[in-house]
Amino acid sequence: MANPNEHAEGMMGEHAEKEYADFEARVKRTIYIDHLSPVVTRQVIRAALSQCAHVVSVEFVENYTIPYDIPAAALVELDDESQARSAVDLMRDFPFIIGGMPRPVRASLARPEMFPDRPSPPGSKMEFLWLKQGDPEYDGMSKLKSLAKRQEAENMALIKGCRCHGVVLSAVLWVA
């Protein structure tokens, strides 16, 4: 007689494989748009892409390096992979302007690591461990930590500099 635990694990494995296959299909039909104006909305992106594709959903990518909610990038899911490739080619070949702003956006095909809700690949396992001074990985992690702090300080300096020089205000006036 079969073990009920083995049967349950098999069912969960099949579910995880199907979930990850659905996610991979979603990634293939999604594009990443960067250099968006801070005033661009979901409706503006839908309208801009309606000339070349049918937009299924728009998710703004959160920028965790700054304390302000300024959307600068979005993941846009389209109907199929061919529409995604066509949209990326269009934005690569022509200066594609979204929202009437005089700044062309960049587009690329999405990658799995861009999605905050990505499932774990079937069969993968996460391990966590505490590092102490003297561990071989400790120096590398210390370097990454100081690099992240430096990048955060540079981002804040840029944001404060832009606000002082009216860059954000001029972007809002452009739309009005």
Side-chain angles (χ1 to χ4, degrees):
M1 181 171 219
N3 184 350
N5 289 338
E6 288 176 6
H7 179 69
E9 287 174 10
M11 293 294 289
M12 287 182 64
E14 289 174 17
H15 176 71
E17 287 177 15
K18 182 183 178 336
E19 181 183 17
Y20 198 75
D22 291 345
F23 170 72
E24 286 179 320
R26 185 173 132 214
V27 170
K28 289 179 181 176
R29 63 178 180 263
T30 302
I31 62 173
Y32 173 79
I33 302 176
D34 198 6
H35 289 203
L36 291 172
S37 162
V39 295
V40 168
T41 63
R42 286 177 172 77
Q43 292 80 10
V44 170
I45 292 174
R46 283 181 189 276
L49 289 174
S50 68
Q51 57 189 305
C52 64
H54 177 259
V55 176
V56 175
S57 69
V58 177
E59 291 180 49
F60 287 105
V61 177
E62 190 121 4
N63 185 351
Y64 294 106
T65 63
I66 58 174
Y68 303 105
D69 187 20
I70 303 173
L75 290 168
V76 182
E77 183 181 352
L78 305 175
D79 266 346
D80 58 38
E81 188 177 347
S82 65
Q83 285 186 3
R85 290 191 186 286
S86 297
V88 168
D89 290 342
L90 176 70
M91 290 185 216
R92 189 177 299 131
D93 295 341
F94 301 102
F96 200 79
I97 300 184
I98 295 182
M101 299 301 296
R103 99 167 147 209
V105 297
R106 290 186 313 184
S108 64
L109 295 173
R111 295 185 312 270
E113 57 271 8
M114 294 177 171
F115 293 79
D117 61 342
R118 69 183 174 273
S120 298
S124 66
K125 184 174 138 184
M126 284 187 160
E127 289 185 17
F128 298 93
L129 58 118
W130 292 100
L131 294 178
K132 298 176 186 169
Q133 270 185 324
D135 287 343
E137 295 89 7
Y138 183 82
D139 290 335
M141 293 308 299
S142 294
K143 289 177 185 177
L144 284 174
K145 186 176 176 182
S146 66
L147 176 66
K149 285 182 180 181
R150 190 176 83 218
Q151 286 176 341
E152 178 184 7
E154 290 171 356
N155 283 340
M156 292 306 301
L158 286 171
I159 288 172
K160 288 178 183 176
C162 288
R163 288 184 175 209
C164 293
H165 291 78
V167 173
V168 173
L169 292 175
S170 67
V172 172
L173 293 175
W174 233 166
V175 172

